[in-house]
Amino acid sequence: MPAIIQDAFSSGFSLPSAASAVPDMTQTVATIKEVWDAQTFSDMVNGQVHVPDDVINQALASMLEPGGPVTEMKVTSLKNHQLRIEAKTVKEGRVVLVCTVEQLVHNQDQSLLTLKVTDKKLPDKPFVSWIFSRVSLAMVSKVVGHLDPSYGLDVNIHGNTVTIDFRQALYNSRLGNLELFGYRPVDYLTVYSLTPQDGFSDISTNLALPEQIKTMIKNVWL
């Protein structure tokens, strides 16, 4: 651990007090390795992150509330730049939505994902599914009730457009609580867009942390 600190601060960045004991970074290092691997962090710094569907689905599974209205959720990225979202609900069984990504943004002011639903089905209920496919998602939510899939996600539906405010969920996560010498990476992260591909999504990013902090994080995997 001393070698990591020495390398990270060799360019002149200093600890808060030379007389202070070197802080125990064991938990911080463990958290960094939990939320990123070396390649993902490098891609984030370079501005383009490739996220496989299974990574997204693991994150979704960890966020679903036990006993909530949505018991399972799976996202599949399609090669026509759309997302297929399959959910298992308590009231309606399986719900399948095909969406285009209108917006994914995270910065100091907001954290929003906006989806436009282009197709929707209830595979377990063929007749109801026929009706479901022909009315707006907003109308459906008025009939069957508003579905919040997990804690910390604020879902708003207007017509067939779904806007998800994930700021609370992000800041409640391990990444949101990660701090290095007064810097929280999530505060210095900007996300510009998400483009679904075949089995993964491309996310455009910028991580404006000081270079010394970036170096310190990179050294975790050395």
Side-chain angles (χ1 to χ4, degrees):
M1 194 60 65
I4 293 176
I5 296 174
Q6 181 179 351
D7 289 344
F9 295 96
S10 60
S11 58
F13 193 85
S14 59
L15 292 171
S17 171
S20 301
V22 175
D24 182 2
M25 296 186 61
T26 303
Q27 186 57 51
T28 300
V29 168
T31 301
I32 291 172
K33 289 184 175 181
E34 180 181 333
V35 300
W36 291 310
D37 57 34
Q39 186 62 54
T40 299
F41 181 75
S42 178
D43 290 345
M44 185 176 296
V45 171
N46 292 330
Q48 192 79 11
V49 182
H50 308 284
V51 184
D53 289 347
D54 61 348
V55 172
I56 296 174
N57 289 322
Q58 287 173 20
L60 286 173
S62 69
M63 295 170 65
L64 291 176
E65 290 186 79
V70 179
T71 59
E72 296 177 16
M73 184 172 288
K74 179 183 178 182
V75 170
T76 303
S77 302
L78 307 175
K79 56 187 173 184
N80 61 355
H81 305 315
Q82 292 187 310
L83 292 175
R84 177 185 171 94
I85 302 174
E86 301 176 59
K88 186 175 181 180
T89 69
V90 174
K91 285 187 177 181
E92 301 300 329
R94 289 182 297 151
V95 178
V96 179
L97 306 175
V98 177
C99 315
T100 58
V101 180
E102 301 286 296
Q103 177 190 46
L104 173 65
V105 60
H106 165 73
N107 51 43
Q108 292 184 350
D109 301 317
Q110 58 183 348
S111 306
L112 296 174
L113 171 63
T114 304
L115 304 171
K116 181 67 175 289
V117 178
T118 59
D119 187 38
K120 48 192 181 297
K121 294 182 176 67
L122 298 173
D124 298 333
K125 299 181 178 182
F127 177 71
V128 178
S129 183
W130 183 85
I131 300 172
F132 179 67
S133 67
R134 285 161 174 76
V135 298
S136 73
L137 197 61
M139 181 63 70
V140 172
S141 68
K142 289 180 180 178
V143 175
V144 304
H146 188 62
L147 296 180
D148 285 315
S150 65
Y151 173 73
L153 296 180
D154 184 13
V155 180
N156 182 269
I157 301 174
H158 181 74
N160 283 314
T161 300
V162 181
T163 301
I164 303 170
D165 187 329
F166 58 90
R167 199 165 187 84
Q168 183 181 352
L170 178 61
Y171 277 87
N172 284 338
S173 69
R174 297 297 293 263
L175 172 60
N177 286 283
L178 176 62
E179 184 173 317
L180 291 167
F181 296 101
Y183 293 91
R184 288 202 303 178
V186 70
D187 291 334
Y188 294 83
L189 173 65
T190 302
V191 176
Y192 300 107
S193 65
L194 181 148
T195 305
Q197 305 290 349
D198 187 8
F200 67 95
S201 290
D202 282 331
I203 301 178
S204 298
T205 65
N206 179 52
L207 188 61
L209 281 168
E211 290 302 319
Q212 296 90 342
I213 299 296
K214 292 180 187 176
T215 301
M216 186 175 186
I217 294 174
K218 290 177 181 178
N219 282 340
V220 163
W221 294 281
L222 297 180

